[in-house]
Amino acid sequence: MREQLTEEYVRRVWEELPRFVKPTTFQSTMLLNKALGAEVTLAVETMQVTGSFKFRAAYNLLREVEQDEVVTTSSGNFGQAVAYACMLLGKKCTVLMPANSSRSKQDNIRTYGGEVKLIDTSKGSRSLYTTEWLNHHPDAFYAPPYDHYRVVAGNSSLGKEIFVHFGRDGLDHVLCPIGGGGLISGIVTARDLLAPGIEVVGAEPLLGNDAARSLRAGHLVSLEAEPATMADGTRTLSVGNLNWEIIREGLRRIVEVPEENIAEGLRLLYSRANLKVEPTAALTVGAMLTQPDAFRGKRVCLVVSGGNVDLDTYVKVLAG
Amino acid sequence: MREQLTEEYVRRVWEELPRFVKPTTFQSTMLLNKALGAEVTLAVETMQVTGSFKFRAAYNLLREVEQDEVVTTSSGNFGQAVAYACMLLGKKCTVLMPANSSRSKQDNIRTYGGEVKLIDTSKGSRSLYTTEWLNHHPDAFYAPPYDHYRVVAGNSSLGKEIFVHFGRDGLDHVLCPIGGGGLISGIVTARDLLAPGIEVVGAEPLLGNDAARSLRAGHLVSLEAEPATMADGTRTLSVGNLNWEIIREGLRRIVEVPEENIAEGLRLLYSRANLKVEPTAALTVGAMLTQPDAFRGKRVCLVVSGGNVDLDTYVKVLAG
């Protein structure tokens, strides 16, 4: 896959994709700088189409797919992004969702024109259901959420915006959440082309630290079970293969963020930046709280990856 | 005052002020359009400097003030805006705040370099304390929150952004909250210069409907006591004199929004647009919920005036 992620292809995506996605929102506040002890700019994707960066990935993935029918298994942001991208592209979309997925996310996928099929994950894995579904729909395209060069290239459009905004020397670090690794490998891809001197730092839940362990071990490490972190966008067993190749070469460190710092990050974005974010998007602020000395006084861009969070969860985290 | 609000002055503010304020954030989502049955664009000021449109007013008011010392009495957004504007302009700032003002707002004003003086409003009115303070500081400038031509002109910079963004014919209505009337008179001022065919509609809490009653009566009506609305940015007894002159000529209708629709507006902005807003900023969505037939299918711009809301209040409203 990596050989398809050429500079020529990536630069073509940067030309073509911005017509279909919203530019990120750069935001900084004196209150947040003071709270974090650094010169912080947020790259906010909560107002992106479908409420998270995932639309960049989904739309770029699907706009060059010939099949009229698409299936995916995400219960979260990728499902919504794929559903809406399919609506815009005139494709039929089916999202296989665990039966306990939140009602509001199911409703959003339907509003975006997707068909929701509930699956019982106690009786079989997501990939089992997907395989079975594809057997009955041999002409459909399966949309992978992170391990695909067009997904990485789509996400790299956010990195491009960041490095063009700040220039080659305008930042010390970009902090980015890691789940399946699709977003951070896009950021690294853009960094390598535009601003090789700026360090990209990963932010991963301590409870689901497979990428940090992989980086230490020098090979891809998988968790045994989905981690029980509140950052539900990172509940993956491991990063993807393509993503791992890029992460291994492109990152020097990944901050492992305890749950209480994810929560405090979410509250700081509420109180110091007037932002409603999902827990996964608070990982980068949480990383600064976890290693304050590493970033004190530095010029830091924090990727705030999305804002889709159920009311119950949000209220619980806010109330501490 | 109105004679000072000339086209020449207003256009000069539009040239000069944007260097110091952030542009508004235009946002629209399919989910919100579906929920409101109209083609809705939000003009979001929650990410403005100090978290609300008030910074436009405060900075424009104070940048041409010669005095080195400034006082104001707001306990909310205007106090924060004045404090930070003073910090930037190298002025000393004192904010007289009711002793029961929220701790976080007091802290923010201090972070913005302002001095907080708590006053006991059970022992005397805000204006009494202000007069007394000014007697001891005869060289200080009192910063009025809405009834001043430079305040109106500062706020008109938001209207300018809206009408330039949409053009003369790109909208049917702009909905705007009314408290003291500073913001809506700025929007009307810009509308009259740039897009006279677009209707500006007010959104006021039913519990504090002095402007709606004034418009019906044809003269300025004052409430007897501060209204107990959750939209704390509108707890004024009446609109200002200058503001009333502009409102009387510039508005045909003001929607009186019941508290439950303000709350539902706040929840819709949370769930359908990923925005954290203060109750006052939810008035415009609340107005659409209150009179759905009036706006169905129309192209509507809703001013979302700010995002500064205490955690306890926000959680209470979210949880319904």
Side-chain angles (χ1 to χ4, degrees):
Chain A
M1 276 270 192
R2 194 160 185 196
E3 60 277 11
Q4 293 164 285
L5 195 66
T6 60
E7 174 168 355
E8 187 193 348
Y9 173 66
V10 168
R11 289 192 183 270
R12 179 160 71 79
V13 170
W14 294 352
E15 286 297 314
E16 295 173 357
L17 194 60
R19 278 202 290 290
F20 308 106
V21 304
K22 293 185 185 169
T24 201
T25 305
F26 290 106
Q27 171 67 342
S28 57
T29 74
M30 184 196 162
L31 298 180
L32 191 64
N33 286 349
K34 195 117 177 175
L36 295 176
E39 199 179 305
V40 175
T41 304
L42 308 172
V44 182
E45 287 284 287
T46 64
M47 289 171 289
Q48 185 51 266
V49 184
T50 70
S52 82
F53 76 93
K54 287 282 188 185
F55 186 76
R56 296 174 185 265
Y59 196 88
N60 194 57
L61 174 68
L62 296 173
R63 72 195 179 105
E64 291 182 351
V65 158
E66 287 180 2
Q67 289 94 321
D68 295 325
E69 197 164 2
V70 173
V71 65
T72 192
T73 47
S74 156
S75 58
N77 287 328
F78 194 64
Q80 297 183 59
V82 166
Y84 193 49
C86 283
M87 176 186 262
L88 296 172
L89 292 163
K91 296 182 189 299
K92 186 172 176 330
C93 172
T94 304
V95 181
L96 307 182
M97 299 184 84
N100 62 358
S101 299
S102 87
R103 187 77 208 182
S104 72
K105 283 175 183 165
Q106 296 182 37
D107 288 346
N108 286 355
I109 286 174
R110 289 193 191 95
T111 304
Y112 292 133
E115 184 172 344
V116 172
K117 283 234 186 286
L118 297 179
I119 59 178
D120 182 348
T121 47
S122 72
K123 294 196 175 147
S125 71
R126 293 184 190 195
S127 64
L128 188 76
Y129 281 102
T130 310
T131 311
E132 194 180 33
W133 192 93
L134 284 167
N135 282 339
H136 288 90
H137 302 77
D139 294 334
F141 175 83
Y142 169 70
Y146 43 87
D147 198 3
H148 193 286
Y149 78 98
R150 290 208 300 271
V151 165
V152 173
N155 292 332
S156 79
S157 67
L158 173 58
K160 187 252 185 182
E161 290 182 43
I162 291 172
F163 297 110
V164 167
H165 181 82
F166 289 99
R168 291 172 76 90
D169 304 309
L171 276 179
D172 297 306
H173 311 283
V174 176
L175 271 67
C176 178
I178 304 186
L183 179 55
I184 201 163
S185 49
I187 302 291
V188 166
T189 299
R191 187 274 314 269
D192 291 348
L193 293 174
L194 297 175
I198 297 176
E199 187 191 7
V200 177
V201 180
E204 192 178 35
L206 178 61
L207 285 183
N209 61 350
D210 54 282
R213 287 162 60 191
S214 300
L215 204 60
R216 277 195 292 273
H219 59 84
L220 188 54
V221 172
S222 280
L223 303 175
E224 304 273 308
E226 275 197 12
T229 171
M230 73 175 79
D232 58 347
T234 68
R235 287 187 198 143
T236 44
L237 298 182
S238 73
V239 299
N241 290 309
L242 170 63
N243 314 101
W244 167 240
E245 283 187 58
I246 298 169
I247 287 170
R248 185 182 49 187
E249 289 172 17
L251 294 194
R252 289 206 308 268
R253 50 181 168 163
I254 294 171
V255 180
E256 296 161 72
V257 186
E259 295 295 296
E260 62 266 27
N261 286 352
I262 303 175
E264 181 61 15
L266 182 145
R267 288 190 290 268
L268 279 174
L269 288 168
Y270 172 93
S271 63
R272 305 296 206 275
N274 277 345
L275 293 176
K276 170 215 169 186
V277 308
E278 58 187 81
T280 304
L283 271 167
T284 48
V285 175
M288 292 196 65
L289 298 171
T290 305
Q291 298 193 356
D293 292 340
F295 303 106
R296 186 162 292 129
K298 299 293 178 64
R299 302 163 303 167
V300 182
C301 178
L302 305 182
V303 175
V304 177
S305 51
N308 297 329
V309 48
D310 273 353
L311 204 144
D312 292 352
T313 305
Y314 192 65
V315 165
K316 213 166 72 184
V317 179
L318 265 193
Chain B
M1 278 273 191
R2 194 162 185 194
E3 60 277 8
Q4 293 164 284
L5 195 67
T6 61
E7 174 167 354
E8 188 193 347
Y9 173 65
V10 169
R11 289 192 184 269
R12 178 160 71 80
V13 170
W14 294 352
E15 285 297 314
E16 295 173 357
L17 194 60
R19 276 201 291 289
F20 308 106
V21 304
K22 293 186 185 169
T24 201
T25 304
F26 289 106
Q27 170 67 342
S28 58
T29 74
M30 184 196 162
L31 298 179
L32 190 63
N33 285 349
K34 195 116 177 175
L36 295 176
E39 199 179 306
V40 176
T41 304
L42 308 171
V44 182
E45 288 284 287
T46 63
M47 289 171 288
Q48 185 52 266
V49 184
T50 71
S52 82
F53 76 95
K54 287 282 188 185
F55 186 76
R56 297 174 184 267
Y59 197 87
N60 194 56
L61 174 68
L62 296 173
R63 72 196 179 104
E64 292 181 352
V65 159
E66 288 179 1
Q67 290 94 322
D68 295 325
E69 197 165 359
V70 173
V71 65
T72 192
T73 47
S74 157
S75 57
N77 287 328
F78 193 65
Q80 297 183 58
V82 166
Y84 193 49
C86 283
M87 174 185 263
L88 296 173
L89 293 162
K91 296 180 190 298
K92 185 172 175 335
C93 172
T94 304
V95 182
L96 307 180
M97 299 184 82
N100 61 359
S101 299
S102 87
R103 187 79 208 181
S104 72
K105 282 174 184 167
Q106 295 181 37
D107 288 346
N108 286 354
I109 286 173
R110 289 193 191 95
T111 304
Y112 292 134
E115 184 173 344
V116 172
K117 283 234 185 287
L118 297 178
I119 59 178
D120 182 347
T121 47
S122 71
K123 294 197 176 146
S125 71
R126 293 185 189 195
S127 63
L128 189 76
Y129 282 102
T130 310
T131 311
E132 195 179 32
W133 192 94
L134 285 167
N135 283 338
H136 288 90
H137 302 78
D139 293 334
F141 176 82
Y142 169 70
Y146 43 88
D147 198 3
H148 193 287
Y149 78 98
R150 291 207 300 271
V151 165
V152 173
N155 292 333
S156 80
S157 67
L158 173 58
K160 187 251 185 181
E161 289 182 41
I162 292 171
F163 297 112
V164 166
H165 182 82
F166 289 100
R168 293 173 74 90
D169 305 309
L171 276 179
D172 298 304
H173 312 282
V174 176
L175 271 68
C176 178
I178 304 186
L183 178 55
I184 202 165
S185 49
I187 303 290
V188 166
T189 299
R191 187 274 314 269
D192 290 349
L193 292 174
L194 297 175
I198 297 176
E199 187 190 7
V200 177
V201 180
E204 194 177 35
L206 179 61
L207 285 183
N209 62 350
D210 55 281
R213 286 161 62 191
S214 299
L215 204 60
R216 277 194 292 273
H219 59 84
L220 189 53
V221 173
S222 280
L223 303 175
E224 305 273 307
E226 275 197 12
T229 171
M230 73 175 78
D232 58 347
T234 68
R235 288 187 198 143
T236 45
L237 298 181
S238 74
V239 299
N241 290 309
L242 170 62
N243 315 102
W244 167 239
E245 282 187 58
I246 297 169
I247 287 170
R248 185 182 50 190
E249 290 171 17
L251 294 194
R252 291 206 308 269
R253 49 180 168 161
I254 295 171
V255 180
E256 296 161 72
V257 186
E259 295 295 295
E260 61 266 29
N261 286 353
I262 302 174
E264 181 61 15
L266 183 145
R267 287 190 291 267
L268 279 174
L269 288 168
Y270 171 93
S271 63
R272 305 296 206 275
N274 277 346
L275 293 176
K276 170 216 170 186
V277 309
E278 58 187 82
T280 304
L283 270 167
T284 49
V285 175
M288 293 196 65
L289 297 171
T290 305
Q291 298 192 357
D293 292 341
F295 304 105
R296 185 161 293 129
K298 298 293 178 60
R299 300 164 305 169
V300 183
C301 178
L302 305 182
V303 175
V304 177
S305 50
N308 297 328
V309 49
D310 273 354
L311 203 143
D312 292 352
T313 306
Y314 192 64
V315 166
K316 213 166 73 182
V317 178
L318 265 194

mmCIF file of all heavy atoms in Angstrom, chain B residues 4 8 13 28 30 42 49 113 119 130 160 208 237 252 266 278 313:
data_model
loop_
_atom_site.group_PDB
_atom_site.id
_atom_site.type_symbol
_atom_site.label_atom_id
_atom_site.label_comp_id
_atom_site.label_asym_id
_atom_site.label_seq_id
_atom_site.Cartn_x
_atom_site.Cartn_y
_atom_site.Cartn_z
ATOM 1 N N GLN B 4 -23.418 60.497 15.613
ATOM 2 C CA GLN B 4 -22.005 60.109 15.520
ATOM 3 C C GLN B 4 -21.826 58.775 14.802
ATOM 4 O O GLN B 4 -20.727 58.419 14.398
ATOM 5 C CB GLN B 4 -21.390 60.029 16.929
ATOM 6 C CG GLN B 4 -21.318 61.407 17.589
ATOM 7 C CD GLN B 4 -21.088 61.319 19.079
ATOM 8 O OE1 GLN B 4 -22.009 61.009 19.839
ATOM 9 N NE2 GLN B 4 -19.862 61.589 19.497
ATOM 10 N N GLU B 8 -19.569 56.978 7.373
ATOM 11 C CA GLU B 8 -18.119 57.114 7.267
ATOM 12 C C GLU B 8 -17.411 56.489 8.471
ATOM 13 O O GLU B 8 -16.426 55.762 8.324
ATOM 14 C CB GLU B 8 -17.752 58.608 7.168
ATOM 15 C CG GLU B 8 -16.293 58.845 6.869
ATOM 16 C CD GLU B 8 -15.917 60.313 7.087
ATOM 17 O OE1 GLU B 8 -16.825 61.159 7.231
ATOM 18 O OE2 GLU B 8 -14.706 60.591 7.141
ATOM 19 N N VAL B 13 -14.517 51.797 10.947
ATOM 20 C CA VAL B 13 -14.399 50.695 11.920
ATOM 21 C C VAL B 13 -14.250 49.357 11.187
ATOM 22 O O VAL B 13 -13.441 48.511 11.577
ATOM 23 C CB VAL B 13 -15.622 50.679 12.868
ATOM 24 C CG1 VAL B 13 -15.644 49.408 13.718
ATOM 25 C CG2 VAL B 13 -15.624 51.925 13.743
ATOM 26 N N SER B 28 -22.585 25.404 9.102
ATOM 27 C CA SER B 28 -23.910 24.828 8.849
ATOM 28 C C SER B 28 -23.752 23.331 8.813
ATOM 29 O O SER B 28 -22.691 22.809 8.452
ATOM 30 C CB SER B 28 -24.488 25.353 7.534
ATOM 31 O OG SER B 28 -23.615 25.041 6.472
ATOM 32 N N MET B 30 -25.987 19.524 8.010
ATOM 33 C CA MET B 30 -27.200 18.889 7.511
ATOM 34 C C MET B 30 -28.126 18.517 8.665
ATOM 35 O O MET B 30 -29.348 18.623 8.553
ATOM 36 C CB MET B 30 -26.787 17.638 6.738
ATOM 37 C CG MET B 30 -27.957 16.964 6.092
ATOM 38 S SD MET B 30 -27.486 15.290 5.610
ATOM 39 C CE MET B 30 -29.129 14.604 5.417
ATOM 40 N N LEU B 42 -24.993 29.272 10.878
ATOM 41 C CA LEU B 42 -24.697 29.893 12.164
ATOM 42 C C LEU B 42 -23.523 30.854 11.998
ATOM 43 O O LEU B 42 -22.546 30.529 11.312
ATOM 44 C CB LEU B 42 -24.330 28.823 13.191
ATOM 45 C CG LEU B 42 -25.319 27.656 13.329
ATOM 46 C CD1 LEU B 42 -24.735 26.560 14.215
ATOM 47 C CD2 LEU B 42 -26.659 28.139 13.872
ATOM 48 N N VAL B 49 -12.370 36.436 20.453
ATOM 49 C CA VAL B 49 -11.519 36.799 21.584
ATOM 50 C C VAL B 49 -12.404 36.993 22.830
ATOM 51 O O VAL B 49 -13.455 37.627 22.742
ATOM 52 C CB VAL B 49 -10.744 38.108 21.281
ATOM 53 C CG1 VAL B 49 -9.783 38.433 22.415
ATOM 54 C CG2 VAL B 49 -10.001 38.001 19.956
ATOM 55 N N GLY B 113 -6.069 40.474 33.346
ATOM 56 C CA GLY B 113 -5.402 41.648 33.892
ATOM 57 C C GLY B 113 -6.313 42.648 34.565
ATOM 58 O O GLY B 113 -5.866 43.732 34.961
ATOM 59 N N ILE B 119 -19.127 43.909 44.760
ATOM 60 C CA ILE B 119 -20.073 44.858 45.354
ATOM 61 C C ILE B 119 -21.285 44.091 45.874
ATOM 62 O O ILE B 119 -21.614 43.012 45.384
ATOM 63 C CB ILE B 119 -20.524 45.926 44.326
ATOM 64 C CG1 ILE B 119 -21.197 45.266 43.104
ATOM 65 C CG2 ILE B 119 -19.344 46.780 43.868
ATOM 66 C CD1 ILE B 119 -21.711 46.244 42.072
ATOM 67 N N THR B 130 -21.023 52.397 40.909
ATOM 68 C CA THR B 130 -20.205 52.947 39.829
ATOM 69 C C THR B 130 -19.970 54.439 40.045
ATOM 70 O O THR B 130 -18.837 54.935 39.913
ATOM 71 C CB THR B 130 -20.898 52.729 38.473
ATOM 72 O OG1 THR B 130 -21.288 51.366 38.385
ATOM 73 C CG2 THR B 130 -19.981 53.080 37.324
ATOM 74 N N LYS B 160 -21.326 43.232 9.223
ATOM 75 C CA LYS B 160 -20.606 43.403 7.958
ATOM 76 C C LYS B 160 -20.112 42.056 7.440
ATOM 77 O O LYS B 160 -20.255 41.736 6.253
ATOM 78 C CB LYS B 160 -19.443 44.370 8.170
ATOM 79 C CG LYS B 160 -18.736 44.757 6.889
ATOM 80 C CD LYS B 160 -17.375 44.132 6.796
ATOM 81 C CE LYS B 160 -16.634 44.621 5.559
ATOM 82 N NZ LYS B 160 -15.316 43.982 5.462
ATOM 83 N N GLY B 208 -38.169 38.163 29.585
ATOM 84 C CA GLY B 208 -37.588 39.517 29.639
ATOM 85 C C GLY B 208 -37.877 40.215 28.327
ATOM 86 O O GLY B 208 -36.954 40.621 27.625
ATOM 87 N N LEU B 237 -33.004 45.699 32.061
ATOM 88 C CA LEU B 237 -34.355 46.220 32.281
ATOM 89 C C LEU B 237 -34.957 46.744 30.990
ATOM 90 O O LEU B 237 -36.163 46.694 30.784
ATOM 91 C CB LEU B 237 -34.325 47.328 33.334
ATOM 92 C CG LEU B 237 -33.836 46.893 34.723
ATOM 93 C CD1 LEU B 237 -33.880 48.073 35.690
ATOM 94 C CD2 LEU B 237 -34.683 45.740 35.254
ATOM 95 N N ARG B 252 -39.008 44.630 12.305
ATOM 96 C CA ARG B 252 -40.451 44.472 12.215
ATOM 97 C C ARG B 252 -40.976 43.517 13.274
ATOM 98 O O ARG B 252 -42.130 43.567 13.656
ATOM 99 C CB ARG B 252 -40.842 43.953 10.826
ATOM 100 C CG ARG B 252 -40.617 44.977 9.724
ATOM 101 C CD ARG B 252 -41.541 44.732 8.536
ATOM 102 N NE ARG B 252 -41.461 43.363 8.066
ATOM 103 C CZ ARG B 252 -40.616 42.932 7.117
ATOM 104 N NH1 ARG B 252 -39.782 43.789 6.552
ATOM 105 N NH2 ARG B 252 -40.615 41.683 6.735
ATOM 106 N N LEU B 266 -30.097 25.259 22.977
ATOM 107 C CA LEU B 266 -28.740 24.946 23.441
ATOM 108 C C LEU B 266 -28.418 23.466 23.196
ATOM 109 O O LEU B 266 -27.330 23.113 22.740
ATOM 110 C CB LEU B 266 -28.620 25.309 24.923
ATOM 111 C CG LEU B 266 -27.249 25.112 25.582
ATOM 112 C CD1 LEU B 266 -26.992 26.197 26.637
ATOM 113 C CD2 LEU B 266 -27.163 23.740 26.238
ATOM 114 N N GLU B 278 -23.492 29.498 25.293
ATOM 115 C CA GLU B 278 -24.173 29.968 26.484
ATOM 116 C C GLU B 278 -25.664 30.121 26.151
ATOM 117 O O GLU B 278 -26.043 30.256 24.971
ATOM 118 C CB GLU B 278 -23.572 31.286 26.947
ATOM 119 C CG GLU B 278 -23.612 32.398 25.922
ATOM 120 C CD GLU B 278 -22.840 33.629 26.386
ATOM 121 O OE1 GLU B 278 -21.608 33.628 26.237
ATOM 122 O OE2 GLU B 278 -23.471 34.579 26.870
ATOM 123 N N THR B 313 -24.315 25.404 35.201
ATOM 124 C CA THR B 313 -25.464 25.832 34.410
ATOM 125 C C THR B 313 -25.581 24.993 33.149
ATOM 126 O O THR B 313 -26.666 24.512 32.796
ATOM 127 C CB THR B 313 -25.305 27.314 34.004
ATOM 128 O OG1 THR B 313 -25.085 28.085 35.179
ATOM 129 C CG2 THR B 313 -26.522 27.822 33.262
#
